[in-house]
């Protein structure tokens, strides 16, 4: 249920991409240059949505920033550089959704440096969602875009965790770390804590956000329209092979302990099986890469960038 006054579009992924290549558009203090960049953001989004083949395209289009396309001229006029353009775009989306606040939730296969995101957006509040990497691996392995390689998953998860610490070194950024397991155990308390951090007002009448319905149109995300149950926690204790537990302890043990997740009593040794999995993980899977011309992603920790719209 949507309990708080905030709007989040379907995963965008364009913020770090366009910030990196913003120089191609020239001086963004010039209105026409901002207009050209925004037009390409919309084009990128159309390609991105079409590549998300398992979703209902009509639903995710309505839940995306494409719903603001008829407001493009106003969005450009209300901005003066890259950061203000992004905020104006998300504020317009929030207004369409009847919300005062907005956020971006994008799950990247490879972590994006916080310094790039902070440079692109200016002062932000960040909610870093952390889940036991072993359970992340089990979930992602069931999807076409995930990996069935435990060593690759462990190393990637550890990289995401290490990136979270970098937020603390950036001026103008506030960070809230939310453990998935705590959310499942006590959703009301945890969501209230996030809302206090983001200064969100509760809705008088909670409602199911259209984004959840749109995301749930994909078979691999069908459970997003359902309540989160305890069966999604500690799956690794029931389903992970012993050597995969050891692989996570070897390659991501420090990150696991940092986040409060259990590890074997004694440090495991590197085995031939781990070595083979490591080497095979260095080569991308051509079949998986061929399914999309866009970056492969899986949910191993979202980041939310909050702003406030003016109405």
């Amino acid at each position: 249920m949507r309990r708080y006054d905030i709007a989040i579009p379907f995963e965008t992924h364009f913020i770090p991409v366009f910030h990196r290549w913003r120089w191609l558009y020239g001086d963004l203090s010039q209105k026409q240059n901002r207009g050209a960049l925004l037009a390409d953001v919309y084009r990128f989004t159309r390609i991105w949505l079409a590549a998300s083949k398992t979703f209902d395209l009509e639903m995710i289009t309505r839940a995306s920033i494409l719903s603001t396309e008829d407001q493009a001229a106003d969005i450009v006029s209300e901005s003066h550089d890259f950061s203000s353009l992004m905020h104006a775009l998300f504020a317009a989306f929030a207004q369409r959704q009847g919300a005062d606040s907005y956020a971006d939730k994008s799950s990247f296969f490879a972590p994006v440096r916080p310094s790039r995101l902070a440079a692109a957006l200016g002062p932000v509040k960040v909610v870093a969602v952390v889940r036991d990497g072993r359970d992340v691996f089990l979930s992602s392995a069931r999807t076409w875009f995930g990996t069935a390689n435990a060593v690759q998953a462990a190393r990637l998860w550890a990289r995401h965790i290490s990136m979270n610490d970098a937020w603390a070194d950036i001026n103008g950024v506030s960070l809230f770390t939310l453990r998935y397991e705590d959310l499942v155990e006590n959703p009301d308390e945890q969501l209230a804590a996030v809302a206090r951090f983001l200064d969100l007002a509760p809705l008088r009448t909670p409602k199911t956000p259209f984004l959840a319905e749109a995301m749930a149109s994909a078979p691999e995300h069908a459970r997003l329209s359902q309540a989160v149950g305890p069966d999604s926690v500690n799956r690794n204790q029931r389903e992970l092979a012993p050597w995969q537990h050891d692989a996570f302890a070897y390659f991501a043990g420090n990150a696991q302990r940092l986040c409060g997740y259990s590890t074997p009593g004694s440090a495991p040794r590197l085995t031939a099986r781990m070595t083979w999995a490591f080497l095979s993980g260095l080569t991308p899977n051509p079949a998986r890469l061929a399914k999309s011309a866009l970056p492969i992603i899986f949910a191993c920790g979202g980041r939310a960038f909050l702003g406030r719209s003016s109405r």
Side-chain angles (χ1 to χ4, degrees):
M1 298 291 284
R2 177 177 155 190
R3 307 181 187 187
Y4 297 97
D5 184 24
I6 189 168
I8 306 173
F10 184 82
E11 295 181 350
T12 60
H13 292 82
F14 56 71
I15 294 174
V17 175
F18 279 86
H19 183 259
R20 182 175 183 177
W21 298 102
R22 66 193 184 282
W23 59 270
L24 291 172
Y25 297 89
D27 182 2
L28 291 180
S29 68
Q30 300 297 312
K31 186 176 180 180
Q32 67 269 23
N33 293 341
R34 296 195 306 278
L37 191 153
L38 182 59
D40 282 348
V41 164
Y42 287 132
R43 294 189 185 99
F44 174 96
T45 303
R46 291 192 185 282
I47 296 171
W48 175 252
L49 297 185
S52 305
K53 296 180 180 179
T54 57
F55 293 95
D56 181 297
L57 183 58
E58 188 274 333
M59 291 184 72
I60 61 173
T61 298
R62 287 171 53 200
S64 76
I65 58 97
L66 289 177
S67 63
T68 68
E69 205 162 7
D70 61 346
Q71 298 174 261
D74 291 337
I75 292 169
V76 170
S77 296
E78 293 171 5
S79 61
H80 58 272
D81 59 8
F82 183 89
S83 179
S84 61
L85 182 65
M86 294 297 102
H87 283 279
L89 174 59
F90 278 80
F93 176 81
Q95 289 179 335
R96 279 290 173 94
Q97 300 293 314
D100 287 331
S101 302
Y102 54 87
D104 178 51
K105 181 266 176 189
S106 293
S107 297
F108 296 93
F109 184 77
V112 177
R113 291 188 178 279
S115 57
R116 176 169 296 282
L117 293 170
L121 295 167
V124 291
K125 290 186 176 182
V126 179
V127 177
V129 183
V130 176
R131 185 185 183 189
D132 190 323
R134 295 162 296 191
D135 287 340
V136 171
F137 164 61
L138 289 171
S139 293
S140 68
R142 294 181 176 181
T143 67
W144 66 265
F145 51 79
T147 176
N149 186 320
V151 170
Q152 185 183 38
R155 296 178 67 233
L156 185 58
W157 183 80
R159 286 176 59 201
H160 277 278
I161 297 302
S162 67
M163 287 293 182
N164 287 345
D165 296 336
W167 284 110
D169 300 326
I170 300 175
N171 292 330
V173 171
S174 300
L175 174 66
F176 185 98
T177 299
L178 174 64
R179 285 195 2 145
Y180 175 86
E181 294 79 10
D182 296 335
L183 178 63
V184 172
E185 182 178 358
N186 197 332
D188 291 339
E189 180 180 302
Q190 293 300 316
L191 288 176
V194 173
R196 287 193 297 272
F197 170 72
L198 299 178
D199 297 321
L200 294 179
L203 295 177
R204 292 183 179 180
T205 305
K207 58 182 179 180
T208 300
F210 183 69
L211 175 62
E213 298 178 11
M215 293 284 289
S217 67
E220 64 269 25
H221 296 304
R223 296 184 66 181
L224 287 176
S225 62
Q226 306 168 11
V228 179
D231 61 316
S232 62
V233 175
N234 292 327
R235 284 178 50 201
N236 65 88
Q237 296 180 7
R238 305 184 298 272
E239 303 177 30
L240 213 61
W243 82 269
Q244 294 173 323
H245 273 288
D246 288 345
F248 263 88
Y250 187 88
F251 289 97
N254 289 337
Q256 285 181 283
R257 287 186 288 274
L258 178 67
C259 297
Y261 297 118
S262 62
T263 57
S266 57
R269 293 184 299 176
L270 182 66
T271 65
R273 190 167 189 176
M274 288 185 207
T275 303
W276 175 251
F278 170 79
L279 293 174
S280 63
L282 296 178
T283 305
N285 184 321
R288 199 173 73 230
L289 288 174
K291 291 191 176 181
S292 173
L294 297 172
I296 298 171
I297 61 167
F298 70 94
C300 55
R303 281 129 171 90
F305 305 95
L306 179 78
R308 183 75 64 175
S309 67
S310 58
R311 297 171 64 188

